[in-house]
């Protein structure tokens, strides 16, 4: 392994712990650092308005079902969800709003939203005909709860991830005249805390699957995002999966490894999204959507 010219990388987490781990295990992959710390989405009217319009559009397309489950995965402290409810989507009475937070719900969330216990989110009424089984109560929304993981909920709805998928672990590779190298993180030779980048030449058979003809430079390989997408597409919900994040259509060399955009060409290998490419949402955020348990 040969040292790579760029300076000491920025790390998330405890530099001392990463140094000890690299000395014990050898040079680490970038994905070994895990996900970057969550960042709450700014609860702007533009973002909240997009979510309201999108939820109503998906609800209409599904035939206005009741209940309609909107699963929103983000680091929202409740401010965005509260603004969405204040704007009053047309599907409000049918709405089951599930916040999926990457960490335990902030204590302030309970003061911002009328949170329900998850078990009460889908109240069940007794069918008139016992042979028909239980029926969902209708017209009782909005009901709101917060979970640490996406719920295993069937029925009509949508799964929206806001500024979370782009923060998942990725690996870093570099393309140059000699082919592909993987960039890893080694312990410092002077035994100080922190890591230094080293390059390990990749055998052509292990070259990353970067679509198209790569230009010289460094590329983020979206290992965590691809795994997340496979899991999310297995949701039992029937409707739409939307990823709202920083997007690029084609994999391109990254300038800063602390925040590479999601590359649509890499995630499309998991499953092709709806046509049209990333659609602007708010600021630098754009949405790409996939079908969940529906045709098309």
């Amino acid at each position: 392994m040969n040292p790579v010219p760029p300076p000491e990388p920025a790390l998330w987490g405890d530099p001392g712990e990463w140094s000890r781990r690299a000395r014990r295990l050898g040079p680490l992959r970038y994905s070994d650092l895990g996900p970057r710390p969550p960042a709450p989405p700014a609860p702007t009217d533009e973002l909240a308005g997009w979510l309201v319009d999108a939820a109503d559009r998906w609800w209409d397309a599904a035939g206005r079902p009741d209940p309609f489950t909107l699963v929103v995965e983000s680091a929202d402290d409740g401010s965005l969800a509260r603004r969405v409810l204040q704007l009053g989507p047309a599907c409000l009475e049918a709405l089951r709003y599930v916040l999926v937070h990457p960490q335990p719900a902030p204590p302030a969330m309970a003061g911002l939203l009328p949170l329900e216990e998850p078990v009460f989110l889908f109240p069940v009424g007794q069918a008139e005909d016992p042979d028909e089984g239980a029926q969902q109560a209708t017209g009782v929304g909005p009901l709101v709860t917060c979970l640490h993981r996406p719920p295993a909920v069937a029925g009509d709805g949508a799964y929206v991830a806001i500024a979370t998928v782009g923060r998942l672990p990725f690996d870093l590779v570099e393309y140059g005249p000699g082919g592909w190298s993987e960039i890893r993180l080694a312990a410092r030779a002077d035994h100080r805390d922190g890591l230094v980048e080293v390059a390990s030449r990749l055998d052509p058979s292990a070259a990353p699957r970067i679509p198209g003809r790569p230009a010289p430079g460094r590329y983020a390989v979206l290992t965590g995002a691809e795994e997340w997408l496979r899991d999310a597409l297995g949701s039992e919900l029937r409707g739409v999966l939307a990823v709202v994040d920083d997007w690029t259509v084609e994999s391109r060399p990254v300038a800063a490894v602390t925040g590479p955009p999601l590359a649509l060409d890499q995630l499309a290998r998991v499953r092709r999204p709806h046509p049209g490419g990333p659609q602007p949402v708010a600021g630098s955020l754009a949405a790409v959507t996939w079908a969940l348990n529906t045709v098309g």
Side-chain angles (χ1 to χ4, degrees):
M1 293 188 176
N2 299 315
V4 178
E8 183 175 321
L11 300 175
W12 45 99
D14 179 5
E17 174 58 29
W18 292 126
S19 300
R20 290 187 289 274
R21 189 173 300 185
R23 291 191 184 98
R24 185 173 69 251
L25 302 177
L28 306 173
R29 289 186 167 91
Y30 261 90
S31 58
D32 291 333
L33 298 179
R36 286 176 289 129
T44 63
D45 280 355
E46 189 176 12
L47 178 57
W50 174 85
L51 191 51
V52 167
D53 292 343
D56 281 340
R57 185 170 65 253
W58 299 329
W59 181 56
D60 275 331
R64 298 198 163 199
D66 188 353
F68 182 77
T69 303
L70 182 63
V71 178
V72 182
E73 181 176 342
S74 73
D76 179 23
D77 65 357
S79 300
L80 176 61
R82 181 176 66 171
R83 188 62 185 134
V84 167
L85 299 180
Q86 288 173 340
L87 291 175
C91 63
L92 201 61
E93 290 187 357
L95 189 61
R96 310 292 191 268
Y97 195 116
V98 182
L99 294 92
V100 178
H101 202 280
Q103 297 175 339
M109 185 181 289
L112 295 172
L113 293 166
L115 293 177
E116 300 278 353
E117 289 294 328
V119 70
F120 298 126
L121 196 63
F122 297 91
V124 176
Q126 183 64 42
E128 292 183 4
D129 183 348
D131 293 334
E132 293 181 3
Q135 294 180 330
Q136 296 284 1
T138 61
V140 296
L143 297 176
V144 185
T145 196
C146 182
L147 301 173
H148 186 55
R149 297 179 182 276
V153 176
D156 295 291
Y159 185 172
V160 183
I162 302 176
T164 57
V165 181
R167 308 186 76 81
L168 294 174
F170 60 89
D171 288 310
L172 190 66
V173 295
E174 186 169 44
Y175 185 73
W180 287 101
S181 297
E182 182 179 21
I183 307 302
R184 292 204 179 194
L185 299 163
R188 295 172 57 102
D190 58 11
H191 296 285
R192 293 167 53 197
D193 286 346
L195 302 175
V196 293
E197 290 182 341
V198 295
S200 177
R201 187 58 56 87
L202 289 173
D203 184 270
S205 63
R209 296 188 302 160
I210 301 295
R213 185 178 180 85
R218 293 177 163 202
Y219 293 80
V221 181
L222 305 176
T223 48
E226 286 194 18
E227 181 179 359
W228 180 94
L229 182 58
R230 289 189 186 93
D231 288 344
L233 288 170
S235 170
E236 297 181 44
L237 281 176
R238 180 174 56 250
V240 173
L241 170 67
V243 177
V244 179
D245 224 301
D246 292 326
W247 282 94
T248 181
V249 173
E250 297 179 348
S251 297
R252 296 179 180 177
V254 295
V257 299
T258 53
L262 292 175
L264 184 57
D265 55 2
Q266 291 188 46
L267 295 188
R269 292 198 303 257
V270 178
R271 184 189 295 175
R272 288 188 176 275
H274 288 134
Q279 302 298 310
V281 171
S284 64
L285 297 178
V288 174
T289 59
W290 283 262
L292 283 177
N293 300 309
T294 57
V295 177

